[in-house]
Amino acid sequence: MPKFLITRWHGMHHIVALAVMLLLSAGLAWYEWVAGAVALAMTIGVAVYTFFAEKAFRKDLKAYLGTLSYRVKKGGNDVISELPFGIIIYNEERIVEWHNPYIAQLMERENVIGTPLTELFPTLQHAKDREGTVEAAVGNHMYQLIFRPKERILYVKNITDLWQLGRKYEDEKLSLGVVMIDNLEEVTQGLDDHQRGTMLSKVTTEITEWAQKYKIYLKRLTSDRFLLITDHKTLRQLEQSRFVILDEVREMTGEQKIPVTLSIGFAAGAEHVVEIGQWAHTSLDIALGRGGDQAAVKVGGRQSFYGGKSNAVEKRTRVRARVVAHALRDLIRESHNVMIMGHKLPDMDSVGAAVGVLKAAQLFGKEAYIVLEGLNPSIEKMMELIREDEKLSKRFVHPDQALALMTPQTLTIVVDTHKASMLKEPKLLSHSERVVVIDHHRRGEEFIPNAILVYLEPYASSACELVTELLQYIHERVGLDVREATALLAGITVDTKSFSLRTGARTFEAASFLRRNGADTMIIQRMLQEDLDEYVSKAEIIKHAHVYFDHVAIADAESGKRYPQLLIAQSADTLLNMTDILASFVIAERPDGLVGISARSLGGMNVQIVMERLGGGGHLTNAAAQFEGTVEEAKIKLMEVLEQIESEEGLFE
């Protein structure tokens, strides 16, 4: 008990009372000394009694307080021992100095004093020592670690039940998918009704058995489209299997001239069912836009792709080309002027397609301009041809000029890319309410938003091929001069490596149309001629090539030397001509300081998937990526991706 309480209740009032009794005894002795003496004796007796009583009280009080302190201390120790969570006190080196019995029970050891925290909870190896919480698994249990770094105290709380409940909630979330037979029309052309029905039955049976295996609800929507309903746990299993149904259906119908392929769009993780459904259809559109024969999965903000091992099947009918051409014609007529732009560091395909769209706008008397900033070696010779025509060369404007020419009624047409980040001046899109996209690359996760017309056909060899087809339907009489036709044919020639890769019947039909309109192949041949110094530089790159995974050639150019992107791409093409090489990668530093990777394959390996994991994109047989860093770092990243793909599903079909 505090001293002031002792003083208050066992101090002054006793003294005051004894003083009063002494005064009264003295007064009484004044009148009667005998009575006064008796009173004085009684006062002294009371004083003596009070003294011993006070002494006994203090002794008993001290003993009681000592007992109480022991009981409180013992109770505190019992509470700490019986707490349903652990307490660890650690030092600056994060080594355990003290813990309560809960921790010993958790670790199944008598004590863990002197043990580093990272040994008890390996998860902490990558966690910083700051206030907050971390989840860590120990055996079959999950624990929440609560740090108090100032006091160097760690609280350990068992959250296994809550974690399992949360896991179950995540596993049971709704997932929706759409499966589409993406080339049914092309496969069944020439088959009679019985053969068509038999093939459809085989494919449907295969899809049904696959759905039953994973306990997926399957509902047929149309003859070539199915709805899938499942949960998030099953979707993860499908991703782990890498959607093996794609390979099974393709192999099952392999005896056909064109095997049946599937495209799958899956979605999960949205707040509402309607949004999940929209995501599923968007994923299917992306899978189709990337050439089909693959699955696109969107879970929250993550977009993943599986499959895509085969080339896009060329459509045999031109119905879509005619419909798009008529829609583009109406948009041009309704516009005040037209802005045309391609991707950064344009190539012949990008410039040639832009020239073709320029011609389409001029057919309807509209002012049209091609946005171009600076030249690069891949288009220098084509631009020399274009400069010979003063009227045509004046249609090339700088991005700043283009912004000044923009009006609310301007139509912006993007060719040879569908990614805003690939444009030299993305601000042009924000100044235009009407955007058209014409591209032949496989669709990626990034896409130009709010485009009112999209003509994305991965089967096409080049953007020039698509524009050439549109020109044939956009106007009754299309007359191209030699330079325009030559520019378009040059784009097709470059992207097909002189008609050796990614060519279909429609590619040659487009080339034939351009040839009839005066395209000069001799001019194209001169455009493609190599400079002797460039040839030597290409040889320097190739001599650094090494073969990995038996059939993959990787050449990393010497650090410190910079090479044009065109030269890097040509080196990859040359490597692909070597014996037993099925895919080639060339890594070199570009003039802009970025490290470029050009990837090529003969079709047995999807280099687009490899480049996408490095932040790039492209086609199954032709892709590229660029990023900051060094050539050595780029090679390490490339090797990590190749090893990852090899372990997951194999690099080659």
Side-chain angles (χ1 to χ4, degrees):
M1 188 177 292
K3 186 176 180 181
F4 75 91
L5 291 177
I6 297 293
T7 304
R8 175 178 296 178
W9 299 110
H10 300 277
M12 293 302 298
H13 63 288
H14 287 168
I15 297 173
V16 171
L18 290 172
V20 172
M21 291 173 65
L22 187 61
L23 289 174
L24 290 175
S25 298
L28 184 60
W30 179 266
Y31 295 100
E32 182 63 47
W33 69 271
V34 177
V38 173
L40 180 61
M42 292 176 64
T43 298
I44 293 171
V46 171
V48 172
Y49 174 77
T50 301
F51 172 76
F52 284 106
E54 177 67 16
K55 190 175 181 180
F57 170 77
R58 288 176 180 268
K59 181 180 179 181
D60 292 342
L61 179 61
K62 186 176 181 181
Y64 173 75
L65 291 178
T67 304
L68 183 62
S69 177
Y70 169 77
R71 288 163 58 199
V72 171
K73 186 177 181 180
K74 186 176 184 303
N77 290 335
D78 290 343
V79 168
I80 292 176
S81 299
E82 299 299 328
L83 280 176
F85 58 87
I87 303 175
I88 294 176
I89 298 176
Y90 58 94
N91 60 19
E92 293 179 353
E93 286 76 30
R94 302 181 82 180
I95 295 175
V96 177
E97 291 185 326
W98 178 90
H99 60 83
N100 67 341
Y102 183 93
I103 298 298
Q105 182 181 358
L106 166 63
M107 297 299 168
E108 297 181 350
R109 292 157 61 178
E110 288 186 9
N111 70 75
V112 294
I113 296 174
T115 306
L117 291 179
T118 52
E119 184 179 326
L120 299 178
F121 306 103
T123 307
L124 298 181
Q125 291 178 354
H126 307 290
K128 295 182 179 179
D129 190 9
R130 60 186 180 186
E131 192 162 343
T133 61
V134 177
E135 290 186 357
V138 178
N140 296 324
H141 296 275
M142 182 66 68
Y143 295 90
Q144 184 183 53
L145 311 181
I146 305 172
F147 278 94
R148 296 292 181 264
K150 291 182 179 180
E151 298 83 11
R152 291 200 289 273
I153 296 177
L154 173 64
Y155 298 102
V156 182
K157 185 179 179 182
N158 192 331
I159 58 169
T160 304
D161 292 340
L162 183 63
W163 181 78
Q164 289 177 343
L165 186 62
R167 184 78 176 269
K168 184 178 180 182
Y169 169 73
E170 290 295 328
D171 287 345
E172 293 179 353
K173 277 186 175 180
L174 179 67
S175 297
L176 294 179
V178 183
V179 177
M180 180 177 177
I181 305 173
D182 52 30
N183 59 343
L184 181 62
E185 183 178 347
E186 286 74 19
V187 172
T188 56
Q189 277 192 351
L191 301 181
D192 56 32
D193 290 344
H194 176 71
Q195 292 172 323
R196 176 187 173 92
T198 301
M199 175 172 289
L200 270 175
S201 176
K202 289 173 62 178
V203 174
T204 302
T205 300
E206 193 73 23
I207 296 173
T208 302
E209 291 177 352
W210 169 73
Q212 290 174 348
K213 176 182 177 182
Y214 288 96
K215 298 181 180 178
I216 301 172
Y217 175 77
L218 179 72
K219 176 67 176 178
R220 189 166 191 162
L221 301 177
T222 62
S223 61
D224 61 350
R225 193 172 295 222
F226 304 82
L227 173 67
L228 304 173
I229 302 177
T230 185
D231 53 32
H232 201 169
K233 180 180 180 180
T234 303
L235 178 56
R236 283 198 297 268
Q237 293 174 354
L238 294 177
E239 290 189 88
Q240 290 171 0
S241 72
R242 309 196 69 81
F243 289 87
V244 68
I245 185 66
L246 299 171
D247 299 327
E248 291 175 348
V249 170
R250 189 188 330 107
E251 292 169 3
M252 181 189 68
T253 57
E255 69 274 4
Q256 300 294 323
K257 186 177 181 181
I258 303 175
V260 174
T261 60
L262 303 180
S263 290
I264 303 174
F266 247 110
E271 293 184 1
H272 306 289
V273 176
V274 174
E275 191 173 5
I276 296 176
Q278 292 171 346
W279 284 5
H281 283 284
T282 301
S283 295
L284 179 63
D285 291 340
I286 292 175
L288 291 169
R290 291 165 59 88
D293 189 26
Q294 58 191 281
V297 180
K298 182 174 178 61
V299 180
R302 172 177 66 88
Q303 184 84 56
S304 305
F305 303 100
Y306 304 91
K309 294 184 178 180
S310 61
N311 274 311
V313 177
E314 181 183 37
K315 293 179 173 60
R316 299 182 184 178
T317 64
R318 296 191 181 187
V319 175
R320 178 165 166 73
R322 176 176 54 81
V323 171
V324 172
H326 290 176
L328 181 61
R329 176 189 62 194
D330 296 338
L331 289 171
I332 293 174
R333 284 174 173 171
E334 297 166 1
S335 302
H336 176 262
N337 57 10
V338 180
M339 287 293 165
I340 310 158
M341 56 181 167
H343 52 77
K344 289 185 284 189
L345 292 173
D347 53 14
M348 287 190 185
D349 186 33
S350 177
V351 175
V355 170
V357 175
L358 175 71
K359 181 66 177 181
Q362 292 175 338
L363 288 172
F364 300 99
K366 299 295 180 180
E367 290 290 322
Y369 304 92
I370 298 172
V371 182
L372 183 68
E373 182 181 21
L375 300 180
N376 62 76
S378 61
I379 61 170
E380 280 183 356
K381 293 181 179 179
M382 176 178 279
M383 293 307 297
E384 289 176 3
L385 174 68
I386 291 173
R387 289 193 197 99
E388 295 175 1
D389 186 339
E390 186 177 352
K391 292 182 179 179
L392 181 58
S393 63
K394 285 183 178 180
R395 292 296 160 183
F396 286 81
V397 297
H398 191 273
D400 294 336
Q401 294 175 280
L403 284 171
L405 293 168
M406 296 282 285
T407 71
Q409 294 299 315
T410 295
L411 176 66
T412 302
I413 302 177
V414 178
V415 296
D416 204 29
T417 184
H418 58 266
K419 300 180 179 180
S421 62
M422 292 291 292
L423 301 176
K424 188 65 180 178
E425 189 54 79
K427 287 192 294 185
L428 288 171
L429 296 180
S430 61
H431 285 72
S432 179
E433 296 180 357
R434 303 191 303 164
V435 178
V436 174
V437 177
I438 302 173
D439 189 22
H440 68 114
H441 294 97
R442 291 190 171 198
R443 178 168 173 168
E445 184 177 355
E446 181 190 352
F447 199 85
I448 293 175
N450 304 321
I452 59 175
L453 180 61
V454 176
Y455 191 33
L456 184 68
E457 296 292 352
Y459 71 83
S461 67
S462 57
C464 285
E465 177 187 330
L466 295 176
V467 172
T468 301
E469 288 189 346
L470 293 178
L471 285 171
Q472 297 177 61
Y473 293 103
I474 203 167
H475 197 275
E476 293 179 357
R477 296 179 181 177
V478 178
L480 300 173
D481 65 26
V482 173
R483 293 178 184 83
E484 292 167 341
T486 302
L488 284 164
L489 185 57
I492 298 175
T493 304
V494 169
D495 267 27
T496 59
K497 303 296 179 290
S498 299
F499 296 90
S500 62
L501 294 174
R502 297 194 311 278
T503 53
R506 292 172 66 168
T507 307
F508 290 100
E509 289 171 4
S512 176
F513 170 79
L514 295 172
R515 191 75 178 87
R516 289 196 304 270
N517 278 267
D520 193 331
T521 55
M522 291 303 298
I523 295 177
I524 296 173
Q525 182 64 28
R526 288 197 294 270
M527 285 183 188
L528 298 178
Q529 284 180 334
E530 290 187 69
D531 182 77
L532 181 59
D533 293 334
E534 290 181 356
Y535 189 86
V536 172
S537 297
K538 185 168 65 173
E540 288 180 356
I541 295 176
I542 294 173
K543 75 178 182 180
H544 292 93
H546 298 279
V547 178
Y548 301 90
F549 303 102
D550 297 329
H551 303 289
V552 178
I554 299 178
D556 50 324
E558 188 176 343
S559 297
K561 290 188 176 181
R562 298 188 173 187
Y563 299 91
Q565 181 63 45
L566 178 62
L567 191 65
I568 300 172
Q570 289 175 342
S571 301
D573 290 330
T574 303
L575 278 174
L576 204 59
N577 294 327
M578 304 300 146
T579 305
D580 293 331
I581 298 301
L582 301 181
S584 63
F585 298 86
V586 174
I587 311 168
E589 190 174 347
R590 307 190 317 179
D592 58 4
L594 296 176
V595 174
I597 302 181
S598 280
R600 300 290 186 270
S601 84
L602 294 175
M605 175 181 177
N606 190 341
V607 293
Q608 178 200 10
I609 293 176
V610 179
M611 292 297 99
E612 281 183 339
R613 297 197 184 188
L614 293 172
H619 290 279
L620 182 143
T621 59
N622 184 338
Q626 304 87 34
F627 49 86
E628 298 178 355
T630 65
V631 173
E632 291 77 11
E633 291 172 347
K635 184 178 180 180
I636 291 172
K637 291 180 180 178
L638 174 61
M639 291 299 298
E640 288 175 351
V641 171
L642 291 175
E643 289 171 359
Q644 184 181 7
I645 295 175
E646 174 67 19
S647 63
E648 289 176 355
E649 57 184 11
L651 288 170
F652 304 98
E653 283 193 64

